[in-house]
Amino acid sequence: SNGNIIVSAKGTNFTSGGNSIDVSRIEFDEANAKLSPLNLTTSYQQSSVGVVPNQTVGIWYWLDIPSGQASGSYAGTLSVQGV
């Protein structure tokens, strides 16, 4: 296919022991200016990025850590797909 490839992303909560940062606190956008960022969920969220095959684009991610969040080594998963 020679059509645009749509980029989508999803994730899991980040956890450290009994502490957690909800996946919705992660935003992503194709612009480094947060013009129209999407919050991640556990289901794929479709961005407005339409990538032509063999083209390179940047996708930016921001993590908003809540005030008072316990320090630690947090682990989670981010998944990106192009269809």
Side-chain angles (χ1 to χ4, degrees), residues 2-3 5 7-8 14-15 19 22 26-27 30-32 39 41 45 47 49 51-52 60 62 64 70 75 77 79 82:
N2 289 330
I5 299 166
V7 177
S8 301
F14 281 30
T15 59
N19 300 308
D22 194 87
I26 302 170
E27 296 177 306
E30 71 272 12
N32 190 16
N39 291 84
T41 68
Q45 301 299 306
S47 76
V49 175
V51 182
V52 177
W60 300 86
W62 297 270
D64 178 24
T77 301
S79 301

PDB file of all heavy atoms in Angstrom, residues 2-3 5 7-8 14-15 19 22 26-27 30-32 39 41 45 47 49 51-52 60 62 64 70 75 77 79 82:
ATOM      1  N   ASN A   2       0.498   2.264  -0.731  1.00  0.00           N
ATOM      2  CA  ASN A   2       1.239   3.511  -0.766  1.00  0.00           C
ATOM      3  C   ASN A   2       0.538   4.616   0.002  1.00  0.00           C
ATOM      4  O   ASN A   2       0.905   5.769  -0.093  1.00  0.00           O
ATOM      5  CB  ASN A   2       1.459   3.960  -2.215  1.00  0.00           C
ATOM      6  CG  ASN A   2       2.451   3.056  -2.912  1.00  0.00           C
ATOM      7  OD1 ASN A   2       3.341   2.515  -2.270  1.00  0.00           O
ATOM      8  ND2 ASN A   2       2.295   2.877  -4.204  1.00  0.00           N
ATOM      9  N   GLY A   3      -0.493   4.280   0.797  1.00  0.00           N
ATOM     10  CA  GLY A   3      -1.208   5.276   1.579  1.00  0.00           C
ATOM     11  C   GLY A   3      -0.454   5.655   2.837  1.00  0.00           C
ATOM     12  O   GLY A   3       0.585   5.088   3.159  1.00  0.00           O
ATOM     13  N   ILE A   5       0.484   5.921   6.701  1.00  0.00           N
ATOM     14  CA  ILE A   5       0.474   5.014   7.838  1.00  0.00           C
ATOM     15  C   ILE A   5       0.074   5.832   9.055  1.00  0.00           C
ATOM     16  O   ILE A   5       0.668   6.878   9.335  1.00  0.00           O
ATOM     17  CB  ILE A   5       1.872   4.388   8.041  1.00  0.00           C
ATOM     18  CG1 ILE A   5       2.256   3.582   6.807  1.00  0.00           C
ATOM     19  CG2 ILE A   5       1.913   3.540   9.303  1.00  0.00           C
ATOM     20  CD1 ILE A   5       3.717   3.195   6.750  1.00  0.00           C
ATOM     21  N   VAL A   7      -0.159   6.440  12.998  1.00  0.00           N
ATOM     22  CA  VAL A   7       0.576   6.044  14.195  1.00  0.00           C
ATOM     23  C   VAL A   7      -0.366   6.081  15.403  1.00  0.00           C
ATOM     24  O   VAL A   7      -1.096   7.052  15.596  1.00  0.00           O
ATOM     25  CB  VAL A   7       1.776   6.982  14.437  1.00  0.00           C
ATOM     26  CG1 VAL A   7       2.496   6.624  15.715  1.00  0.00           C
ATOM     27  CG2 VAL A   7       2.724   6.926  13.243  1.00  0.00           C
ATOM     28  N   SER A   8      -0.348   5.001  16.193  1.00  0.00           N
ATOM     29  CA  SER A   8      -1.150   4.900  17.414  1.00  0.00           C
ATOM     30  C   SER A   8      -0.251   4.435  18.548  1.00  0.00           C
ATOM     31  O   SER A   8       0.782   3.802  18.314  1.00  0.00           O
ATOM     32  CB  SER A   8      -2.289   3.898  17.232  1.00  0.00           C
ATOM     33  OG  SER A   8      -3.131   4.270  16.170  1.00  0.00           O
ATOM     34  N   PHE A  14       2.633   2.801  35.218  1.00  0.00           N
ATOM     35  CA  PHE A  14       4.005   2.618  35.673  1.00  0.00           C
ATOM     36  C   PHE A  14       3.944   2.284  37.159  1.00  0.00           C
ATOM     37  O   PHE A  14       3.276   2.975  37.920  1.00  0.00           O
ATOM     38  CB  PHE A  14       4.806   3.897  35.451  1.00  0.00           C
ATOM     39  CG  PHE A  14       5.261   4.104  34.032  1.00  0.00           C
ATOM     40  CD1 PHE A  14       4.535   3.627  32.955  1.00  0.00           C
ATOM     41  CD2 PHE A  14       6.434   4.776  33.772  1.00  0.00           C
ATOM     42  CE1 PHE A  14       4.951   3.808  31.656  1.00  0.00           C
ATOM     43  CE2 PHE A  14       6.871   4.971  32.465  1.00  0.00           C
ATOM     44  CZ  PHE A  14       6.130   4.489  31.407  1.00  0.00           C
ATOM     45  N   THR A  15       4.618   1.225  37.566  1.00  0.00           N
ATOM     46  CA  THR A  15       4.557   0.790  38.957  1.00  0.00           C
ATOM     47  C   THR A  15       5.947   0.654  39.564  1.00  0.00           C
ATOM     48  O   THR A  15       6.927   0.387  38.872  1.00  0.00           O
ATOM     49  CB  THR A  15       3.817  -0.557  39.088  1.00  0.00           C
ATOM     50  OG1 THR A  15       4.498  -1.529  38.300  1.00  0.00           O
ATOM     51  CG2 THR A  15       2.371  -0.448  38.627  1.00  0.00           C
ATOM     52  N   ASN A  19       3.436   1.421  44.560  1.00  0.00           N
ATOM     53  CA  ASN A  19       3.134   2.756  44.022  1.00  0.00           C
ATOM     54  C   ASN A  19       2.880   2.679  42.518  1.00  0.00           C
ATOM     55  O   ASN A  19       3.423   1.821  41.841  1.00  0.00           O
ATOM     56  CB  ASN A  19       4.307   3.711  44.292  1.00  0.00           C
ATOM     57  CG  ASN A  19       4.570   3.857  45.768  1.00  0.00           C
ATOM     58  OD1 ASN A  19       3.669   4.149  46.542  1.00  0.00           O
ATOM     59  ND2 ASN A  19       5.807   3.631  46.176  1.00  0.00           N
ATOM     60  N   ASP A  22      -0.525   6.499  36.837  1.00  0.00           N
ATOM     61  CA  ASP A  22      -1.514   6.089  35.842  1.00  0.00           C
ATOM     62  C   ASP A  22      -1.045   6.417  34.433  1.00  0.00           C
ATOM     63  O   ASP A  22      -0.464   7.477  34.181  1.00  0.00           O
ATOM     64  CB  ASP A  22      -2.848   6.801  36.118  1.00  0.00           C
ATOM     65  CG  ASP A  22      -3.976   6.168  35.341  1.00  0.00           C
ATOM     66  OD1 ASP A  22      -4.581   5.211  35.839  1.00  0.00           O
ATOM     67  OD2 ASP A  22      -4.235   6.633  34.209  1.00  0.00           O
ATOM     68  N   ILE A  26       0.562  10.151  30.773  1.00  0.00           N
ATOM     69  CA  ILE A  26       1.500  10.225  29.648  1.00  0.00           C
ATOM     70  C   ILE A  26       0.745  10.797  28.452  1.00  0.00           C
ATOM     71  O   ILE A  26      -0.330  10.321  28.093  1.00  0.00           O
ATOM     72  CB  ILE A  26       2.064   8.830  29.285  1.00  0.00           C
ATOM     73  CG1 ILE A  26       2.769   8.217  30.490  1.00  0.00           C
ATOM     74  CG2 ILE A  26       2.990   8.928  28.078  1.00  0.00           C
ATOM     75  CD1 ILE A  26       3.145   6.771  30.291  1.00  0.00           C
ATOM     76  N   GLU A  27       1.313  11.830  27.863  1.00  0.00           N
ATOM     77  CA  GLU A  27       0.737  12.430  26.668  1.00  0.00           C
ATOM     78  C   GLU A  27       1.696  12.223  25.499  1.00  0.00           C
ATOM     79  O   GLU A  27       2.898  12.087  25.705  1.00  0.00           O
ATOM     80  CB  GLU A  27       0.547  13.939  26.852  1.00  0.00           C
ATOM     81  CG  GLU A  27      -0.441  14.319  27.928  1.00  0.00           C
ATOM     82  CD  GLU A  27      -0.509  15.826  28.104  1.00  0.00           C
ATOM     83  OE1 GLU A  27       0.554  16.446  28.321  1.00  0.00           O
ATOM     84  OE2 GLU A  27      -1.620  16.364  28.006  1.00  0.00           O
ATOM     85  N   GLU A  30       2.784  14.665  17.799  1.00  0.00           N
ATOM     86  CA  GLU A  30       3.820  14.683  16.770  1.00  0.00           C
ATOM     87  C   GLU A  30       4.563  16.011  16.757  1.00  0.00           C
ATOM     88  O   GLU A  30       5.523  16.169  16.028  1.00  0.00           O
ATOM     89  CB  GLU A  30       3.246  14.374  15.383  1.00  0.00           C
ATOM     90  CG  GLU A  30       2.396  15.472  14.792  1.00  0.00           C
ATOM     91  CD  GLU A  30       0.923  15.389  15.173  1.00  0.00           C
ATOM     92  OE1 GLU A  30       0.547  14.625  16.063  1.00  0.00           O
ATOM     93  OE2 GLU A  30       0.138  16.104  14.552  1.00  0.00           O
ATOM     94  N   ALA A  31       4.152  16.954  17.563  1.00  0.00           N
ATOM     95  CA  ALA A  31       4.836  18.245  17.636  1.00  0.00           C
ATOM     96  C   ALA A  31       5.440  18.409  19.027  1.00  0.00           C
ATOM     97  O   ALA A  31       4.823  18.040  20.015  1.00  0.00           O
ATOM     98  CB  ALA A  31       3.849  19.374  17.364  1.00  0.00           C
ATOM     99  N   ASN A  32       6.623  18.963  19.098  1.00  0.00           N
ATOM    100  CA  ASN A  32       7.279  19.169  20.384  1.00  0.00           C
ATOM    101  C   ASN A  32       6.681  20.351  21.128  1.00  0.00           C
ATOM    102  O   ASN A  32       7.201  20.793  22.124  1.00  0.00           O
ATOM    103  CB  ASN A  32       8.788  19.379  20.186  1.00  0.00           C
ATOM    104  CG  ASN A  32       9.538  19.364  21.500  1.00  0.00           C
ATOM    105  OD1 ASN A  32       9.037  18.921  22.512  1.00  0.00           O
ATOM    106  ND2 ASN A  32      10.743  19.877  21.484  1.00  0.00           N
ATOM    107  N   ASN A  39      -3.772  11.777  25.583  1.00  0.00           N
ATOM    108  CA  ASN A  39      -3.397  11.011  26.766  1.00  0.00           C
ATOM    109  C   ASN A  39      -3.439   9.540  26.415  1.00  0.00           C
ATOM    110  O   ASN A  39      -4.371   9.074  25.763  1.00  0.00           O
ATOM    111  CB  ASN A  39      -4.354  11.293  27.921  1.00  0.00           C
ATOM    112  CG  ASN A  39      -4.194  12.690  28.452  1.00  0.00           C
ATOM    113  OD1 ASN A  39      -4.777  13.617  27.915  1.00  0.00           O
ATOM    114  ND2 ASN A  39      -3.399  12.839  29.480  1.00  0.00           N
ATOM    115  N   THR A  41      -3.914   5.552  26.988  1.00  0.00           N
ATOM    116  CA  THR A  41      -4.777   4.645  27.735  1.00  0.00           C
ATOM    117  C   THR A  41      -4.233   3.239  27.496  1.00  0.00           C
ATOM    118  O   THR A  41      -3.201   3.065  26.852  1.00  0.00           O
ATOM    119  CB  THR A  41      -6.246   4.719  27.257  1.00  0.00           C
ATOM    120  OG1 THR A  41      -6.340   4.181  25.939  1.00  0.00           O
ATOM    121  CG2 THR A  41      -6.777   6.149  27.272  1.00  0.00           C
ATOM    122  N   GLN A  45      -4.483   4.701  21.013  1.00  0.00           N
ATOM    123  CA  GLN A  45      -5.007   6.033  20.725  1.00  0.00           C
ATOM    124  C   GLN A  45      -4.384   6.482  19.413  1.00  0.00           C
ATOM    125  O   GLN A  45      -3.162   6.529  19.289  1.00  0.00           O
ATOM    126  CB  GLN A  45      -4.638   7.011  21.848  1.00  0.00           C
ATOM    127  CG  GLN A  45      -5.158   6.608  23.208  1.00  0.00           C
ATOM    128  CD  GLN A  45      -6.670   6.535  23.232  1.00  0.00           C
ATOM    129  OE1 GLN A  45      -7.356   7.489  22.885  1.00  0.00           O
ATOM    130  NE2 GLN A  45      -7.195   5.386  23.617  1.00  0.00           N
ATOM    131  N   SER A  47      -3.100   8.904  16.681  1.00  0.00           N
ATOM    132  CA  SER A  47      -2.628  10.280  16.553  1.00  0.00           C
ATOM    133  C   SER A  47      -3.054  10.833  15.200  1.00  0.00           C
ATOM    134  O   SER A  47      -3.571  10.116  14.354  1.00  0.00           O
ATOM    135  CB  SER A  47      -1.109  10.341  16.686  1.00  0.00           C
ATOM    136  OG  SER A  47      -0.505   9.887  15.498  1.00  0.00           O
ATOM    137  N   VAL A  49      -0.934  11.837  13.127  1.00  0.00           N
ATOM    138  CA  VAL A  49       0.237  11.654  12.273  1.00  0.00           C
ATOM    139  C   VAL A  49      -0.115  10.710  11.127  1.00  0.00           C
ATOM    140  O   VAL A  49      -0.560   9.603  11.347  1.00  0.00           O
ATOM    141  CB  VAL A  49       1.424  11.062  13.077  1.00  0.00           C
ATOM    142  CG1 VAL A  49       2.590  10.751  12.152  1.00  0.00           C
ATOM    143  CG2 VAL A  49       1.852  12.000  14.165  1.00  0.00           C
ATOM    144  N   VAL A  51       1.973   9.134   8.233  1.00  0.00           N
ATOM    145  CA  VAL A  51       3.348   8.972   7.769  1.00  0.00           C
ATOM    146  C   VAL A  51       3.347   8.291   6.405  1.00  0.00           C
ATOM    147  O   VAL A  51       2.727   7.246   6.232  1.00  0.00           O
ATOM    148  CB  VAL A  51       4.172   8.130   8.769  1.00  0.00           C
ATOM    149  CG1 VAL A  51       5.609   8.018   8.308  1.00  0.00           C
ATOM    150  CG2 VAL A  51       4.096   8.722  10.161  1.00  0.00           C
ATOM    151  N   VAL A  52       4.027   8.891   5.472  1.00  0.00           N
ATOM    152  CA  VAL A  52       4.207   8.290   4.159  1.00  0.00           C
ATOM    153  C   VAL A  52       5.275   7.205   4.296  1.00  0.00           C
ATOM    154  O   VAL A  52       6.254   7.391   5.024  1.00  0.00           O
ATOM    155  CB  VAL A  52       4.650   9.371   3.134  1.00  0.00           C
ATOM    156  CG1 VAL A  52       4.922   8.765   1.781  1.00  0.00           C
ATOM    157  CG2 VAL A  52       3.605  10.463   3.046  1.00  0.00           C
ATOM    158  N   TRP A  60       6.604  12.812  20.215  1.00  0.00           N
ATOM    159  CA  TRP A  60       7.070  13.246  21.525  1.00  0.00           C
ATOM    160  C   TRP A  60       6.158  12.706  22.613  1.00  0.00           C
ATOM    161  O   TRP A  60       4.942  12.642  22.444  1.00  0.00           O
ATOM    162  CB  TRP A  60       7.085  14.772  21.564  1.00  0.00           C
ATOM    163  CG  TRP A  60       7.982  15.345  20.521  1.00  0.00           C
ATOM    164  CD1 TRP A  60       7.658  15.625  19.220  1.00  0.00           C
ATOM    165  CD2 TRP A  60       9.357  15.660  20.657  1.00  0.00           C
ATOM    166  NE1 TRP A  60       8.746  16.108  18.556  1.00  0.00           N
ATOM    167  CE2 TRP A  60       9.806  16.143  19.407  1.00  0.00           C
ATOM    168  CE3 TRP A  60      10.258  15.600  21.715  1.00  0.00           C
ATOM    169  CZ2 TRP A  60      11.108  16.558  19.192  1.00  0.00           C
ATOM    170  CZ3 TRP A  60      11.557  16.015  21.494  1.00  0.00           C
ATOM    171  CH2 TRP A  60      11.966  16.492  20.251  1.00  0.00           C
ATOM    172  N   TRP A  62       5.339  12.956  26.957  1.00  0.00           N
ATOM    173  CA  TRP A  62       5.529  13.692  28.206  1.00  0.00           C
ATOM    174  C   TRP A  62       4.898  12.891  29.338  1.00  0.00           C
ATOM    175  O   TRP A  62       3.797  12.360  29.200  1.00  0.00           O
ATOM    176  CB  TRP A  62       4.855  15.061  28.151  1.00  0.00           C
ATOM    177  CG  TRP A  62       5.408  15.969  27.115  1.00  0.00           C
ATOM    178  CD1 TRP A  62       6.434  16.852  27.251  1.00  0.00           C
ATOM    179  CD2 TRP A  62       4.978  16.084  25.757  1.00  0.00           C
ATOM    180  NE1 TRP A  62       6.666  17.507  26.080  1.00  0.00           N
ATOM    181  CE2 TRP A  62       5.778  17.055  25.136  1.00  0.00           C
ATOM    182  CE3 TRP A  62       3.983  15.462  24.994  1.00  0.00           C
ATOM    183  CZ2 TRP A  62       5.626  17.424  23.805  1.00  0.00           C
ATOM    184  CZ3 TRP A  62       3.837  15.821  23.675  1.00  0.00           C
ATOM    185  CH2 TRP A  62       4.650  16.791  23.095  1.00  0.00           C
ATOM    186  N   ASP A  64       3.658  13.334  33.194  1.00  0.00           N
ATOM    187  CA  ASP A  64       3.325  14.270  34.263  1.00  0.00           C
ATOM    188  C   ASP A  64       3.332  13.498  35.585  1.00  0.00           C
ATOM    189  O   ASP A  64       2.443  12.697  35.846  1.00  0.00           O
ATOM    190  CB  ASP A  64       1.954  14.882  34.002  1.00  0.00           C
ATOM    191  CG  ASP A  64       1.519  15.828  35.106  1.00  0.00           C
ATOM    192  OD1 ASP A  64       2.386  16.372  35.818  1.00  0.00           O
ATOM    193  OD2 ASP A  64       0.298  16.023  35.254  1.00  0.00           O
ATOM    194  N   ALA A  70       5.749   9.051  45.317  1.00  0.00           N
ATOM    195  CA  ALA A  70       6.892   8.399  45.958  1.00  0.00           C
ATOM    196  C   ALA A  70       8.001   8.161  44.927  1.00  0.00           C
ATOM    197  O   ALA A  70       7.732   7.805  43.780  1.00  0.00           O
ATOM    198  CB  ALA A  70       6.468   7.074  46.573  1.00  0.00           C
ATOM    199  N   ALA A  75       8.334   1.012  36.407  1.00  0.00           N
ATOM    200  CA  ALA A  75       8.376   0.264  35.135  1.00  0.00           C
ATOM    201  C   ALA A  75       6.981   0.196  34.551  1.00  0.00           C
ATOM    202  O   ALA A  75       5.989   0.062  35.278  1.00  0.00           O
ATOM    203  CB  ALA A  75       8.935  -1.144  35.358  1.00  0.00           C
ATOM    204  N   THR A  77       4.951  -0.176  30.241  1.00  0.00           N
ATOM    205  CA  THR A  77       5.139  -0.496  28.833  1.00  0.00           C
ATOM    206  C   THR A  77       4.456   0.553  27.963  1.00  0.00           C
ATOM    207  O   THR A  77       3.318   0.932  28.236  1.00  0.00           O
ATOM    208  CB  THR A  77       4.524  -1.874  28.506  1.00  0.00           C
ATOM    209  OG1 THR A  77       5.144  -2.856  29.330  1.00  0.00           O
ATOM    210  CG2 THR A  77       4.721  -2.237  27.058  1.00  0.00           C
ATOM    211  N   SER A  79       3.548   1.010  23.891  1.00  0.00           N
ATOM    212  CA  SER A  79       3.502   0.307  22.595  1.00  0.00           C
ATOM    213  C   SER A  79       3.082   1.288  21.510  1.00  0.00           C
ATOM    214  O   SER A  79       2.140   2.057  21.696  1.00  0.00           O
ATOM    215  CB  SER A  79       2.495  -0.848  22.652  1.00  0.00           C
ATOM    216  OG  SER A  79       2.847  -1.767  23.654  1.00  0.00           O
ATOM    217  N   GLY A  82       2.030   1.296  13.692  1.00  0.00           N
ATOM    218  CA  GLY A  82       1.690   2.028  12.480  1.00  0.00           C
ATOM    219  C   GLY A  82       0.871   1.110  11.571  1.00  0.00           C
ATOM    220  O   GLY A  82       1.268   0.007  11.291  1.00  0.00           O
TER     221      GLY A  82
END
